[in-house]
Amino acid sequence: MIILDYQDRRPIYEQVSEKFRTLILSGALLPGSRMPSVRQLAMELSINPNTIQRAYMDLEQQGLIYPVKGKGNFVSRNEEIQRIGRRDYLLEFQALAEKGRDIGMEEEELIHVIRESYREGEND
């Protein structure tokens, strides 16, 4: 499920957190599903359980998972995940729009590209 890149300069907990974030936002981990236990995942990845706990705390702060005392961690409700996914998308979209403006694209050209891309997606 998760493969770590030891050549990556980011801390291991950030890699774990990012991988789970991607799995959750893509729908690979369904809302309400139980996350692997800290101990189990630490053994599978051969890393310290504190590293997994830190990654889970990061995911909890982002609103992607929630703990249930004595039962483990679970993926948050679908509405919360959609809200987070939309927020991330809008931030990414704003950055792309700014980049387009910075390289000289006109507003109408950007709007045209968006409309065409959206329509192509409807036909897939």
Side-chain angles (χ1 to χ4, degrees):
M1 184 186 304
I2 291 187
I3 298 172
L4 299 174
D5 179 2
Y6 294 101
Q7 303 299 320
D8 193 329
R9 292 183 168 200
R10 294 175 302 154
I12 299 294
Y13 85 91
E14 283 184 13
Q15 291 183 49
V16 171
S17 179
E18 180 198 329
K19 305 269 186 190
F20 274 117
R21 179 182 177 82
T22 301
L23 290 169
I24 291 168
L25 293 177
S26 70
L29 289 175
L30 299 174
S33 63
R34 188 174 185 274
M35 298 287 288
S37 75
V38 170
R39 201 172 280 155
Q40 171 194 353
L41 190 57
M43 283 178 39
E44 285 178 18
L45 298 175
S46 299
I47 59 178
N48 190 308
N50 292 334
T51 302
I52 302 300
Q53 187 60 45
R54 189 166 179 188
Y56 279 12
M57 284 180 7
D58 186 41
L59 291 166
E60 184 181 347
Q61 288 173 348
Q62 293 176 49
L64 293 170
I65 67 171
Y66 63 94
V68 175
K69 192 166 181 101
K71 299 210 184 255
N73 293 285
F74 295 83
V75 178
S76 294
R77 298 184 326 265
N78 201 29
E79 302 84 31
E80 184 69 16
I81 292 169
Q82 287 176 342
R83 184 187 65 76
I84 292 167
R86 289 175 69 103
R87 184 195 67 214
D88 288 357
Y89 168 77
L90 290 174
L91 289 172
E92 188 177 333
F93 184 77
Q94 288 171 335
L96 287 172
E98 289 172 11
K99 184 177 179 180
R101 183 190 62 227
D102 291 346
I103 63 170
M105 292 183 77
E106 295 294 325
E107 181 179 354
E108 289 304 316
E109 185 179 5
L110 288 168
I111 292 169
H112 176 74
V113 169
I114 293 166
R115 281 193 180 120
E116 289 301 310
S117 297
Y118 192 83
R119 289 180 183 137
E120 287 175 14
E122 288 179 333
N123 295 332
D124 287 348

